[in-house]
Amino acid sequence: MLAAMSGGVDSAVAAARAVAAGHDVTGVHLALARNPQTYRTGARGCCTLEDSRDARRAADVIGIPFYVWDMAEQFHEDVVDDFVAEYAAGRTPNPCLRCNEKIKFAAVLDRAVALGFDAVVTGHHARLGSDGLLRRSVDLAKDQSYVLAVLTRAQLDRAMFPLGDSTKAQVRAEAAERGLAVADKPDSHDICFIADGDTKRFLAERLGSAPGDIVDATTGAVIGQHEGAYAYTVGQRRGLDLRVSAPDRQPRYVLSITPVTNTVTVGPASSLDVTGVVGERPVWTVPTEGAVACEVQMRAHGETLPATVRLEDGRLVAALGRAARGIATGQAIVCYEPSPDGDIVLGSATISQTS
């Protein structure tokens, strides 16, 4: 088994549990930052030299071999560059999902299999049932099945998530009992490659200033200006430089971003309601035919909604049982089947249209 060790408490305990279960485990830390010192401010971010050292110390305590794999260039191309390109195209990407898809369970898994490892062990809070299907963690507050739903059945067959049956509190307590120094280490937050959390500044440094109009959807009038449409996302209210009050005096929210015209369109909250979603590049792990009644989640840690979904011409089409508000293209729609043993992930797709 290859244990991906980030330097945090979750991956350390996952590796320890894999060893305790009788597996022959080797720890690997992924060096993802071109300049590791830039990827952390306080508890934000990850992938720093500090994290590498923490991972190595944890491997020593557990008693397993440890290596560092430099994947910075591939991470930058597949995750960071993709993140910038998606915002430039008017979409709102999820880089954690992309990292799981392109790095941890593609590049890393491929290399691991080529080297003779059977599977990759990670500290994600999710479960794999005896049927090989992905399920939510028992700790719903920490559940990460949403960002793992992009994995194919073949990738899941070579994955191991030892923490899915435990709460985060239980994981920290076990780490302390095992003598792991990371037991009380804070969780990383936000986007790992934007250490200070300032996404607008990060994008502006790469895409430059691009002034344009903010247009009211109701009247068609120009009511403000922006310095770059990429700095906005659907549902956003704060940070709008509106110079003309709405006729109804109600708050205005971002309804859409149009890169071709460099326009941000705003309108009332009611205009954010969505009842239909179309997703591209679906990954479906459970064989189904026709329309499927399920629950869908369209944000990490967002609410679930009843829906009827179907696969149509290579796309996932979802009719929502009730309106959702502020759904952005570029995010994932993940479909779940409620189960007494934990909600089962049926599949996912990247949202390309809403209606």
Side-chain angles (χ1 to χ4, degrees):
M1 294 281 184
L2 183 79
M5 302 183 71
S6 67
V9 62
D10 289 330
S11 60
V13 172
R17 287 187 177 183
V19 171
H23 298 291
D24 184 7
V25 179
T26 295
V28 168
H29 177 76
L30 305 181
L32 302 179
R34 285 175 171 171
N35 180 2
Q37 297 297 347
T38 67
Y39 272 36
R40 182 186 289 281
T41 299
R44 293 181 180 271
C46 63
C47 319
T48 65
L49 294 175
E50 171 195 342
D51 294 312
S52 178
R53 289 192 289 266
D54 286 344
R56 184 179 296 277
R57 284 192 288 265
D60 288 343
V61 172
I62 297 167
I64 58 175
F66 178 83
Y67 300 92
V68 176
W69 286 1
D70 184 352
M71 308 198 79
E73 290 304 317
Q74 187 161 358
F75 178 79
H76 198 91
E77 179 180 340
D78 290 341
V79 180
V80 181
D81 287 349
D82 175 79
F83 177 85
V84 175
E86 285 291 283
Y87 267 104
R91 297 183 286 269
T92 304
N94 186 313
C96 294
L97 188 150
R98 196 64 60 230
C99 183
N100 286 330
E101 176 189 16
K102 297 291 187 180
I103 305 298
K104 294 178 182 176
F105 293 94
V108 172
L109 180 57
D110 288 347
R111 183 185 293 187
V113 171
L115 290 173
F117 292 98
D118 295 324
V120 171
V121 180
T122 75
H124 286 98
H125 283 261
R127 288 181 288 170
L128 281 172
S130 58
D131 51 11
L133 298 179
L134 182 64
R135 287 175 163 83
R136 289 193 188 276
S137 166
V138 298
D139 189 341
L140 296 182
K142 292 294 182 180
D143 175 56
Q144 293 174 295
S145 61
Y146 177 87
V147 294
L148 294 170
V150 71
L151 303 184
T152 65
R153 186 63 184 269
Q155 290 170 326
L156 291 173
D157 286 343
R158 288 187 176 272
M160 184 176 175
F161 307 126
L163 305 188
D165 290 320
S166 301
T167 66
K168 187 58 178 267
Q170 290 171 331
V171 171
R172 288 196 181 280
E174 181 176 334
E177 291 172 2
R178 292 181 179 275
L180 297 170
V182 292
D184 296 321
K185 184 175 180 179
D187 291 338
S188 59
H189 296 287
D190 301 312
I191 301 167
C192 72
F193 52 86
I194 306 179
D196 63 3
D198 191 345
T199 301
K200 182 177 180 179
R201 177 200 55 77
F202 178 86
L203 292 170
E205 289 176 351
R206 287 151 182 80
L207 298 173
S209 178
D213 295 333
I214 299 178
V215 176
D216 188 276
T218 304
T219 64
V222 175
I223 61 172
Q225 298 292 314
H226 64 75
E227 293 300 317
Y230 54 75
Y232 300 88
T233 187
V234 170
Q236 181 176 335
R237 177 185 175 187
R238 295 183 178 180
L240 297 176
D241 182 16
L242 303 183
R243 302 170 187 178
V244 179
S245 298
D248 58 7
R249 300 290 180 178
Q250 294 301 305
R252 286 299 185 253
Y253 299 80
V254 175
L255 303 182
S256 63
I257 300 102
T258 309
V260 174
T261 59
N262 196 26
T263 302
V264 175
T265 300
V266 300
S270 58
S271 295
L272 289 169
D273 287 347
V274 165
T275 55
V277 173
V278 176
E280 304 290 344
R281 303 188 305 278
V283 176
W284 205 258
T285 54
V286 180
T288 54
E289 292 184 6
V292 178
C294 62
E295 294 183 350
V296 297
Q297 183 175 327
M298 291 172 285
R299 295 188 193 88
H301 306 295
E303 66 172 341
T304 58
L305 299 171
T308 301
V309 303
R310 66 184 188 279
L311 298 178
E312 183 178 289
D313 299 326
R315 302 185 304 170
L316 186 149
V317 180
L320 306 183
R322 66 176 187 271
R325 182 158 286 185
I327 303 303
T329 58
Q331 292 286 293
I333 176 171
V334 177
C335 305
Y336 292 89
E337 179 180 67
S339 162
D341 297 324
D343 292 353
I344 300 170
V345 174
L346 300 176
S348 70
T350 301
I351 298 172
S352 59
Q353 296 174 243
T354 62
S355 60

